[in-house]
Amino acid sequence: GEDVEQSLFLSVREGDSSVINCTYTDSSSTYLYWYKQEPGAGLQLLTYIFSNMDMKQDQRLTVLLNKKDKHLSLRIADTQTGDSAIYFCAERGSGGGADGLTFGKGTHLIIQP
Amino acid sequence: DTAVSQTPKYLVTQMGNDKSIKCEQNLGHDTMYWYKQDSKKFLKIMFSYNNKELIINETVPNRFSPKSPDKAHLNLHINSLELGDSAVYFCASSPLGAYGYTFGSGTRLTVV
């Protein structure tokens, strides 16, 4: 079955870069996503990458995809206190979306002053 | 206008009760979903539904049932509520075959 793995916690200093890693098992994944959840809030789509891409950049966010190793990462440059949240990696299989997203357990990003 | 809206935002109820959570999307999406987020923040899909098929995660108890009166709504009915059902439930929608999933803001269910 599908499985998505992430580390549960990451602690970085304010101003440094944060790199959140994710591995997945479904080789038929078509899209891979990063969602952000702030305390008490819903899920905010940060970015996504199509499986035939290996990098995507959007302002402070850089997504790297290594399809051979089934490894996805999210880099946040110049991490700020407002970036403190849980970051979920998610993948969508090749079923056309009818079976939804499979999420990792989320990485809690902790910002140290 | 909120794209995917859920009501209520908070729901506190006693064990054994039957309750419903409503979800509406105004995006014209073909497929709607229900996800459960437990106390450890783990997110699991419960159902996906379009006008052709319902896909159920086999781990979901049959006390949970989705009901779709029309394409824009997918409500979640829960019978005989148990303490372990306490969680945040998220509704979502997507256009079939496309990449975009939009989530509602969640319903926090507490069973006492």
Side-chain angles (χ1 to χ4, degrees), chain B residues 27-95:
Chain B
L27 299 165
H29 286 171
D30 302 288
T31 307
M32 295 183 73
Y33 310 84
W34 278 104
Y35 288 82
K36 178 181 179 181
Q37 185 175 42
D38 65 21
S39 58
K40 293 183 179 177
K41 304 298 184 184
F42 301 160
L43 276 158
K44 289 281 190 185
I45 189 165
M46 300 176 72
F47 304 101
S48 69
Y49 181 78
N50 61 29
N51 59 4
K52 295 177 184 174
E53 68 179 323
L54 171 67
I55 299 175
I56 304 170
N57 185 321
E58 65 274 9
T59 64
V60 175
N62 59 13
R63 297 181 295 103
F64 289 78
S65 57
K67 299 228 180 346
S68 180
D70 55 57
K71 186 178 166 181
H73 297 83
L74 184 68
N75 303 324
L76 183 64
H77 295 268
I78 317 169
N79 295 326
S80 302
L81 276 154
E82 299 178 357
L83 293 176
D85 298 332
S86 296
V88 180
Y89 292 85
F90 287 99
C91 178
S93 70
S94 74

Side-chain angles (χ1 to χ4, degrees), chain A residues 28-106:
Chain A
S28 67
S29 294
T30 52
Y31 286 96
L32 295 133
Y33 303 79
W34 285 104
Y35 280 86
K36 177 183 180 182
Q37 186 178 33
E38 297 183 33
L43 293 161
Q44 174 194 352
L45 176 65
L46 278 181
T47 187
Y48 66 93
I49 188 167
F50 189 47
S51 59
N52 68 355
M53 300 169 65
D54 51 21
M55 186 179 100
K56 182 177 180 181
Q57 188 154 4
D58 182 4
Q59 299 183 335
R60 290 192 298 124
L61 305 179
T62 304
V63 178
L64 295 177
L65 174 60
N66 182 327
K67 197 172 179 182
K68 173 175 167 290
D69 294 338
K70 299 191 186 71
H71 182 268
L72 182 74
S73 68
L74 173 69
R75 178 176 178 270
I76 306 172
D78 188 24
T79 309
Q80 303 298 309
T81 54
D83 296 325
S84 181
I86 304 174
Y87 291 81
F88 291 94
C89 172
E91 61 98 19
R92 189 192 108 179
S94 56
D99 50 349
L101 297 175
T102 300
F103 284 88
K105 292 182 177 175

